[in-house]
Structures are given as structure tokens and as C-alpha cells.
């Protein structure tokens, strides 16, 4: 199922849409045939560890299917696949486990792409609630969750909250990742749009200039 989902993504990227859909349909069949997962039993026995690996692989497969559906623009199907992966993850390791925030961000991104602002906000907030419990609040998926939240807040006209979220995102990149990371460019452009709407044209121009420099650097 994983190989078929990966093949579907490759075919889509190559522009072979019919082949992508055919591979995706086969991935669905294989994933459904593999079945659901059972609640995990804490154990270091080889049998239980093997069951956990298989269960984790099933979660990965549904995430891959969700990504293909998202790439194909089939947002309801993508959301369904991501939520299935989330439910499986919860059965394996419980609600709010370490692996769930990344999937919640993926759900949020799909909902945001479909204009479901409040539902998307809920997904990002849930992800951040778990991520904020990590040491220092610097978990790997936090910038993506903050970016999604900032864009939802901006779309809803909640300018102050949008600015706070995107500034926090930028701060995390600068402090813990890279001051010229490619993803900083769209974050800075969003900040510039917010600042411009607030009448802060000087700082907005500075943010735009920095974004342009990063994009030029990465060409």
C-alpha cells in the first residue's frame, strides 16, 4: 500500500493523472485489506514490537494516501484519510501522543485549503496544545502549526492574533532552525501583509525585502 501510494504521488508529479488515480485506487484496496489497528500493549516482547511496527506502518500508509488525495485536489478524501491515520495513532499511543500534531497540521492544511476556517483553526490549536508541552516549545512541527494558524486568523480578519502567530513562527526559525530558511520567505510576506494592513509600512517593507533576499538566495 505504501509503495502504491508513493507511486501515485510520483505519477501525479509527472502529470500522469490517470496512472496516479489507478495507483491510488490500488493503494486504497491494499490499505483497507490490511485492516485497522488494535490498542497498543506496552511490552518489549518481539511479538508486541512487531505488532507496533505494523500498526505504525498502517498509520503511515493512510497519511501517504491523504497526501496523494491532497495533491490531486480531492480535499474531502484527503481529510478522511488523514483523520483515519489520526484515529489509528490514537489507538496505538493514546490521545495527544507525540506523532499526532504533524497529522493535525495536515488536517488543518486541508481544511484551510477548503475554506473551513474554524475547523482548520481547531486542528492547528490542537496540534499546538500538544507541541507546547515539549521542552521549550520548539517541536519540529510547531512552525507549520503556527503558520497555518496565522493564515487562518488572517483570513478571519483577526489581525492581532495572526501577527502574533506568524511572529512566533519567524522567531522559531531564527532561533532554532535557520535565519534564511526558505519557509521564512512566505512567513515574512504574510507578516508584511499584516503590517501593511495595520499601517506599519516601514516594517512591512523591511520584511518584504528580507523575504525577497531569501528567495533570491535559494534560486
Amino acid at each position: 500500500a505504501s509503495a502504491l501510494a508513493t507511486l501515485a504521488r510520483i505519477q501525479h508529479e509527472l502529470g500522469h493523472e490517470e496512472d496516479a488515480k489507478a495507483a491510488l485506487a490500488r493503494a486504497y484496496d491494499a490499505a483497507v485489506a490490511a485492516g485497522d489497528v488494535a490498542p497498543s500493549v506496552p511490552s518489549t516482547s518481539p511479538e508486541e514490537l512487531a505488532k507496533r511496527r505494523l500498526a505504525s506502518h498502517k498509520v503511515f500508509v493512510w497519511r501517504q494516501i491523504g497526501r496523494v488525495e491532497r495533491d490531486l485536489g480531492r480535499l474531502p478524501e484527503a481529510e478522511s484519510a488523514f483523520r483515519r491515520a489520526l484515529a489509528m495513532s490514537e489507538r496505538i499511543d493514546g490521545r495527544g501522543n507525540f506523532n499526532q500534531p504533524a497529522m493535525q497540521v495536515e488536517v488543518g492544511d486541508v481544511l484551510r485549503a477548503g475554506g473551513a476556517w474554524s475547523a482548520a483553526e481547531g486542528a492547528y490549536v490542537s496540534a499546538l496544545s500538544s507541541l507546547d508541552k515539549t521542552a521549550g516549545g520548539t517541536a519540529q512541527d510547531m512552525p507549520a502549526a503556527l503558520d497555518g494558524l496565522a493564515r487562518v486568523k488572517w483570513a478571519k480578519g483577526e489581525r492581532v492574533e495572526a501577527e502574533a502567530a506568524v511572529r512566533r513562527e519567524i522567531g522559531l526559525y531564527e532561533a532554532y532552525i535557520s535565519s534564511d530558511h526558505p519557509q521564512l520567505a512566505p512567513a515574512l510576506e504574510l507578516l508584511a501583509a499584516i503590517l501593511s494592513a495595520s499601517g506599519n509600512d516601514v516594517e512591512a517593507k523591511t520584511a518584504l525585502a528580507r523575504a525577497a533576499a531569501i528567495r533570491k538566495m535559494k534560486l
Side-chain angles (χ1 to χ4, degrees):
S2 175
L4 287 165
T6 300
L7 175 62
R9 290 194 80 182
I10 293 171
Q11 295 285 18
H12 170 68
E13 289 170 3
L14 292 173
H16 304 160
E17 296 302 303
E18 293 306 314
D19 290 335
K21 290 175 182 177
L24 180 60
R26 292 176 63 197
Y28 266 111
D29 290 343
V32 171
D36 211 332
V37 300
S40 179
V41 177
S43 172
T44 57
S45 73
E47 295 80 6
E48 288 300 325
L49 290 174
K51 289 180 182 177
R52 171 176 283 275
R53 285 193 295 272
L54 177 59
S56 296
H57 185 70
K58 290 179 180 179
V59 173
F60 174 77
V61 165
W62 282 106
R63 288 184 74 184
Q64 283 286 82
I65 288 173
R67 290 164 182 162
V68 177
E69 293 285 27
R70 178 197 61 202
D71 293 347
L72 290 171
R74 304 195 313 199
L75 300 182
E77 291 83 356
E79 180 188 352
S80 178
F82 286 137
R83 288 196 184 279
R84 188 160 186 171
L86 266 171
M88 285 182 168
S89 176
E90 186 172 322
R91 281 193 286 276
I92 298 169
D93 291 313
R95 185 184 295 274
N97 70 68
F98 179 79
N99 296 308
Q100 287 196 318
M103 288 179 268
Q104 288 168 329
V105 170
E106 287 175 318
V107 170
D109 289 346
V110 168
L111 290 166
R112 178 165 57 89
W117 308 121
S118 295
E121 180 178 349
Y124 294 130
V125 168
S126 293
L128 287 167
S129 177
S130 296
L131 294 169
D132 275 326
K133 296 173 184 175
T134 64
T138 59
Q140 177 180 349
D141 300 299
M142 186 168 282
L146 287 166
D147 189 81
L149 181 62
R151 293 179 188 281
V152 165
K153 291 291 189 182
W154 178 235
K156 292 174 68 178
E158 298 174 13
R159 195 164 59 203
V160 173
E161 293 85 350
E163 181 179 345
V166 76
R167 283 190 184 277
R168 187 178 176 195
E169 176 194 359
I170 291 168
L172 286 176
Y173 275 112
E174 291 174 337
Y176 300 106
I177 304 174
S178 171
S179 61
D180 59 357
H181 192 281
Q183 192 56 40
L184 264 175
L188 287 162
E189 288 162 353
L190 175 59
L191 176 61
I194 296 169
L195 291 170
S196 180
S198 303
N200 191 346
D201 292 332
V202 173
E203 190 177 359
K205 288 179 181 178
T206 300
L208 278 178
R210 185 178 170 196
I214 291 172
R215 288 193 182 280
K216 184 177 180 180
M217 185 186 308
K218 299 303 177 182
L219 288 177

